């Protein structure tokens, strides 16, 4: 079975020009087929502040109001996505910038308002991924670059967690490829002590999750990341790892999720 690498890059790397350039140099060296999923970074928050639009996060997830939705679409699917695609093209990687709405690659639905109204936020399941069309793009030698925007069946655009997109893409494609899912961010892995980059937890099993959450080791934005990683493993994704963007090409680095 052919190997497919899906890499999700965090917003803090997107915000750091030097770190992003180094990551894209390394990502270009990964063999094809491959997919890149990127987060939003601070640009949307800064633009919202300039427009006097409040920004609210709950457990690492953004509440997307009617006023905030156009900002997230413009920044995530527009500015940031095309900047990344342009830089990949400049490195010889034939990238195609997409969101879930493009070619109906992902069909989502608006998250229910209970127990908390997240606004225009989308959820979807792996079966909502148009895997056949995605395989066709990969077969053409293209590298899809996904932003964190999807659409429902009526065409309503929705802000969608990028970690979830990466996880569900991996699960949807697992029957057709040997999928390696890599979450890259600014730390060397999941840290037991956030102030100590040498405290990387080498491996996390599903049985460890609740205890680590209770201890506060896993919190905030790391919660959906670990939850999605564990869900991927349970649904036959071959390998899931959380590591520093600087260690993308080092197979021994980071935290293995199993």
């Amino acid at each position: 079975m052919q190997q497919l690498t899906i890499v999700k890059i965090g917003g803090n790397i997107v915000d750091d020009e030097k770190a992003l350039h180094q990551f894209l140099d390394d990502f270009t060296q990964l063999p094809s087929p491959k997919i890149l999923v990127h987060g939003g970074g601070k640009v949307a928050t800064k633009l919202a502040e300039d427009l006097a639009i409040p920004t609210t996060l709950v457990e690492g997830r953004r509440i997307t109001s009617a006023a905030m939705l156009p900002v997230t679409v413009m920044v995530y699917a527009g500015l940031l996505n095309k900047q990344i695609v342009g830089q990949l093209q400049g490195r010889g990687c034939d990238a195609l910038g997409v969101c879930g709405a493009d070619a109906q690659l992902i069909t989502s639905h608006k998250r229910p308002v209970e127990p908390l109204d997240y606004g225009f936020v989308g959820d979807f399941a792996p079966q909502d991924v148009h895997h056949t069309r995605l395989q066709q793009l990969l077969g053409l030698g293209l590298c899809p670059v996904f932003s964190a925007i999807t659409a429902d069946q009526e065409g309503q655009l929705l802000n969608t967690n990028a970690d979830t997109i990466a996880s569900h893409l991996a699960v949807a494609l697992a029957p057709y490829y040997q999928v390696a899912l890599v979450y890259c961010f600014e730390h060397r892995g999941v840290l037991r002590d956030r102030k100590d980059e040498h405290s990387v937890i080498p491996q996390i099993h599903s049985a460890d999750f609740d205890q680590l959450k209770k201890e506060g080791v896993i919190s905030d934005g790391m919660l959906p990341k670990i939850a999605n990683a564990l869900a991927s493993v349970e649904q036959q994704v071959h390998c899931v790892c959380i590591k520093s963007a600087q260690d993308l090409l080092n197979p021994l680095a980071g935290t293995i999720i199993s």
Side-chain angles (χ1 to χ4, degrees):
M1 187 178 285
Q2 188 177 26
Q3 180 165 327
L4 167 67
T5 305
I6 299 177
V7 181
K8 190 270 177 174
I9 184 72
N12 287 337
I13 303 302
V14 172
D15 288 332
D16 186 328
E17 184 177 356
K18 182 178 179 181
L20 179 61
H21 284 192
Q22 181 59 57
F23 166 79
L24 293 175
D25 285 343
D26 292 343
F27 180 81
T28 301
Q29 296 182 50
L30 291 174
S32 295
K34 56 191 173 186
I35 295 172
L36 180 60
V37 181
H38 65 83
K42 298 175 183 176
V43 178
T45 301
K46 176 63 169 61
L47 180 56
E49 289 175 355
D50 292 343
L51 297 172
I53 298 171
T55 297
T56 306
L57 296 174
V58 178
E59 293 188 339
R61 295 179 185 261
R62 183 187 298 274
I63 291 179
T64 306
S65 64
M68 190 67 194
L69 180 63
V71 175
T72 59
V73 173
M74 286 188 292
V75 173
Y76 298 171
L79 178 64
L80 294 180
N81 187 263
K82 299 314 171 191
Q83 284 179 336
I84 291 171
V85 168
Q87 291 186 44
L88 285 173
Q89 293 289 0
R91 290 165 168 79
C93 176
D94 201 0
L96 177 69
V98 296
C99 73
D102 295 311
Q104 290 188 319
L105 290 173
I106 298 171
T107 302
S108 61
H109 60 271
K110 190 172 181 289
R111 183 175 298 170
V113 298
E114 297 293 340
L116 177 65
D117 186 358
Y118 281 90
F120 289 90
V121 166
D123 290 324
F124 68 101
Q127 56 264 34
D128 299 319
V129 174
H130 197 330
H131 63 82
T132 302
R133 191 154 289 166
L134 200 44
Q135 289 178 77
Q136 291 170 337
L137 294 176
L138 293 169
L140 291 172
L142 297 171
C143 170
V145 179
F146 276 86
S147 65
I149 300 296
T150 60
D152 66 16
Q153 290 183 331
E154 286 72 45
Q156 173 64 58
L157 295 175
L158 297 166
N159 187 14
T160 305
N161 183 269
D163 289 336
T164 302
I165 290 177
S167 170
H168 287 359
L169 288 176
V171 172
L173 292 168
Y176 313 100
Y177 302 89
Q178 187 177 73
V179 179
L181 173 59
V182 184
Y183 288 100
C184 284
F185 68 148
E186 66 274 17
H187 298 297
R188 296 177 65 181
V190 181
L191 305 178
R192 185 165 290 280
D193 179 353
R194 294 188 190 186
K195 298 179 181 179
D196 182 5
E197 286 291 329
H198 298 287
S199 66
V200 175
I201 302 172
Q203 192 163 22
I204 294 177
H205 302 280
S206 57
D208 304 325
F209 183 57
D210 286 340
Q211 183 60 33
L212 290 171
K213 187 166 60 171
K214 183 178 179 180
E215 294 172 2
V217 174
I218 298 174
S219 61
D220 301 325
M222 188 60 71
L223 285 167
K225 194 182 304 292
I226 300 293
N228 281 301
L230 288 169
S232 301
V233 172
E234 291 170 0
Q235 297 180 76
Q236 309 309 310
V237 173
H238 179 69
C239 175
V240 183
C241 184
I242 298 175
K243 62 170 62 177
S244 166
Q246 296 179 347
D247 293 329
L248 177 62
L249 299 179
N250 181 357
L252 301 179
T255 300
I256 298 295
I257 307 298
S258 61

